[in-house]
Amino acid sequence: LRQHRSGRHVASLPYFRRAAEAGTGWVGHWNYAAALNNAAFEVWSRHGVASPASRSAVERLELVRSALAEVEAAERVAPDARTHAMMELVRGNTLEMWGFPVDALEAYRSARSIDPEYPAARRSEAQCVAALRGERPPAAER
């Protein structure tokens, strides 16, 4: 956690992987997914120039693919509908962040169908639809 909090996401991966493999339930998989996704975005300074911590775009894609697999593992052991819906939101946020807004919208709609009363699911869906239309979401939705 210390490495993760200090922005050293790549260095934190073995520890989060071990926690996820240790049977810590959905939380372990969720935390590992977050660490994998953050590692894909981590930037190091090399000779005063900021560059990705990972060696290549292929490696970054593998980190994201692994993050999505961990979200799926967390969903399989989610204790209730709200947690399952939350994992769908995490999937949607990850997809949207990586430039797949239509796939993200599908995940947001899935979250709403799993837990129709979940405000974050409604908000994420509305924001994604507005972004796809080239609109700004209403003030209450931001």
Side-chain angles (χ1 to χ4, degrees), residues 37 64 67-68 71 89-99 108:
N37 194 46
V64 174
L68 291 170
V71 169
L89 288 185
V90 170
R91 178 191 324 284
N93 289 335
T94 302
L95 291 167
E96 194 167 13
M97 191 180 326
W98 283 92
Y108 298 146

Side-chain angles (χ1 to χ4, degrees), residues 9-122:
H9 306 290
V10 172
S12 74
L13 292 178
Y15 303 102
F16 281 108
R17 180 178 45 248
R18 239 180 279 142
E21 291 170 351
T24 53
W26 72 271
V27 174
H29 292 290
W30 180 43
N31 285 330
Y32 186 33
L36 286 161
N37 194 46
N38 289 338
F41 283 103
E42 186 175 349
V43 176
W44 290 345
S45 178
R46 294 184 179 123
H47 308 292
V49 177
S51 59
S54 51
R55 295 176 299 241
S56 68
V58 171
E59 190 173 286
R60 285 186 291 282
L61 288 172
E62 184 53 37
L63 287 166
V64 174
R65 188 174 301 132
S66 296
L68 291 170
E70 286 300 316
V71 169
E72 188 175 313
E75 280 184 296
R76 283 194 301 272
V77 294
D80 53 36
R82 178 63 50 98
T83 305
H84 188 96
M86 187 173 76
M87 292 302 101
E88 280 296 311
L89 288 185
V90 170
R91 178 191 324 284
N93 289 335
T94 302
L95 291 167
E96 194 167 13
M97 191 180 326
W98 283 92
F100 300 99
V102 174
D103 298 300
L105 181 58
E106 183 179 325
Y108 298 146
R109 287 182 172 158
S110 175
R112 279 198 64 195
S113 71
I114 293 165
D115 186 351
E117 302 302 316
Y118 191 21
R122 277 195 311 275

